[in-house]
Amino acid sequence: MELLCMPTAKLPVTKWRGGRSYSIRCAGIAEPAGVPAPMGQKTQYKDGLFEKLFMSLFARKMEKFATSEVSKKNNALWDMDYERFVDVSKRVMIGRSRKQQQEVVREVLLSMLPPGAPAQFRKLFPPTRWAAEFNAALTVPFFHWLVGPSEVIEVEVNGVKQRSGVQIKKCRYLENSGCVGMCVNMCKLPTQDFFTNEFGLPLTMNPNFEDMSCEMVYGQVPPLFEEDAVSKQPCYADMCSVANTSSPVCPKLQ
C-alpha cells in the first residue's frame, strides 16, 4: 500500500503487523538529479493529490478576484495544475496596484482559516525563538507544493543564532511566473505582513533574483518596502510576459 505525502524524499518500506508493507511515495521534483533545474531552465515537478488539492483550494479562493474567467472544463479539485494556479495569480494582478494585490492575498489567506485563527495562533506561538524555529520546520513540508524544495537553516536574529531560517532552493512560484512583481506583491510582502501583523510572529523573506532562491527568516522584523532591496528590482526581461525593459524598476513595484 502506498500513501502520498508532500516532502520530496521516498521513505523506505515499513512492515506493520500482519506482514503488510507500506511505503510513502512523495510527489516532488521530477528532474533526474532530484534537484531544481539550473537558472534559465524550468524545473519539472510531479505533483500528487495533496499538492493539487492545495493548488485548487487557493486558486478557487483567488478566482473571484481575477479579471476574467477561465474554462470550467475541469472542476474537480484534483484536476488543478501549477500552471493554471499561476495563471489565476496573474489575472488577479492585472489592473491592481501593489497594495491592492497584497490586500487580495491577505483576504485569501484569512478565508482559508477558521474564525479566530490569528488570535489562537498568537496564543500558541508568541514571538519566541521556539515559535520561530517551530514554524520554520513546518514550512519545509507544508509549503513544498508552492515554492519547491527547501531546508531549515541557521540564521542570526537580533544577535542570536537560531534555526529559524528556511532556504528555498529555487522558488517554484517565481520560476513559473517569471514575474518580479508577482513574487514581491503576491508572495513576499503579503506573507511577511500576514505573519508579522496577523499572527504576531515577525517574518522576513529575502528573494534572490539571480538564482531564484529565497531565504525566509522567522523572528526577524521585515524592513519597510522603501528600504528593501526588492523595491529597486528590474523586470525579468526574457521571462516576464508583461516586462517593461525600458524601466529600471519593475513597474508593478512602483
Side-chain angles (χ1 to χ4, degrees):
M1 177 180 178
E2 281 193 337
L3 304 174
L4 288 174
C5 71
M6 296 179 64
T8 57
K10 181 170 181 178
L11 301 183
V13 174
T14 301
K15 289 188 176 181
W16 290 358
R17 291 181 180 180
R20 298 183 64 185
S21 297
Y22 294 82
S23 65
I24 302 179
R25 179 170 56 85
C26 302
I29 288 182
E31 297 290 333
V35 297
M39 185 67 175
Q41 299 179 30
K42 188 176 179 180
T43 305
Q44 298 301 311
Y45 285 84
K46 184 177 182 181
D47 294 310
L49 176 61
F50 286 112
E51 286 88 348
K52 292 182 178 181
L53 287 174
F54 274 110
M55 292 175 201
S56 187
L57 288 172
F58 269 84
R60 290 188 177 196
K61 293 288 185 179
M62 294 173 62
E63 184 67 50
K64 65 179 181 179
F65 298 100
T67 55
S68 60
E69 293 188 356
V70 292
S71 172
K72 302 295 184 180
K73 181 179 179 180
N74 294 322
N75 292 316
L77 289 175
W78 50 86
D79 284 329
M80 177 61 65
D81 58 42
Y82 201 84
E83 285 70 25
R84 289 171 59 195
F85 167 75
V86 172
D87 176 69
V88 174
S89 298
K90 288 182 178 179
R91 291 186 291 108
V92 168
M93 179 181 67
I94 296 173
R96 285 187 170 87
S97 68
R98 173 167 54 85
K99 291 187 178 297
Q100 288 172 333
Q101 293 172 53
Q102 295 169 38
E103 183 58 29
V104 166
V105 178
R106 176 182 175 276
E107 290 189 34
V108 169
L109 291 174
L110 285 174
S111 70
M112 299 289 290
L113 301 174
Q120 289 299 316
F121 186 98
R122 286 173 175 265
K123 291 180 180 179
L124 292 172
F125 303 107
T128 62
R129 173 178 174 174
W130 176 86
E133 292 183 335
F134 184 76
N135 278 272
L138 288 180
T139 296
V140 173
F142 284 100
F143 287 92
H144 171 267
W145 71 272
L146 178 61
V147 300
S150 61
E151 62 180 351
V152 174
I153 60 173
E154 184 178 74
V155 292
E156 186 172 309
V157 179
N158 299 324
V160 178
K161 291 185 177 181
Q162 55 191 49
R163 291 184 62 77
S164 65
V166 175
Q167 183 68 34
I168 299 169
K169 300 181 183 302
K170 187 183 183 186
C171 181
R172 188 180 187 183
Y173 190 68
L174 179 57
E175 182 180 31
N176 277 262
S177 68
C179 182
V180 169
M182 285 179 63
C183 166
V184 176
N185 298 340
M186 301 192 66
C187 182
K188 170 184 161 64
L189 294 181
T191 304
Q192 287 181 167
D193 179 75
F194 198 79
F195 272 89
T196 302
N197 297 315
E198 298 292 340
F199 283 168
L201 180 63
L203 169 66
T204 296
M205 298 179 68
N206 299 310
N208 182 332
F209 293 101
E210 295 295 325
D211 61 7
M212 293 188 171
S213 65
C214 183
E215 180 187 68
M216 303 176 67
V217 184
Y218 287 94
Q220 184 177 85
V221 176
L224 295 175
F225 175 73
E226 294 75 16
E227 299 173 0
D228 197 317
V230 301
S231 65
K232 304 295 189 293
Q233 183 66 31
C235 292
Y236 278 129
D238 300 327
M239 301 181 192
C240 184
S241 60
V242 295
N244 184 342
T245 56
S246 63
S247 174
V249 178
C250 171
K252 293 297 181 181
L253 302 180
Q254 298 173 342

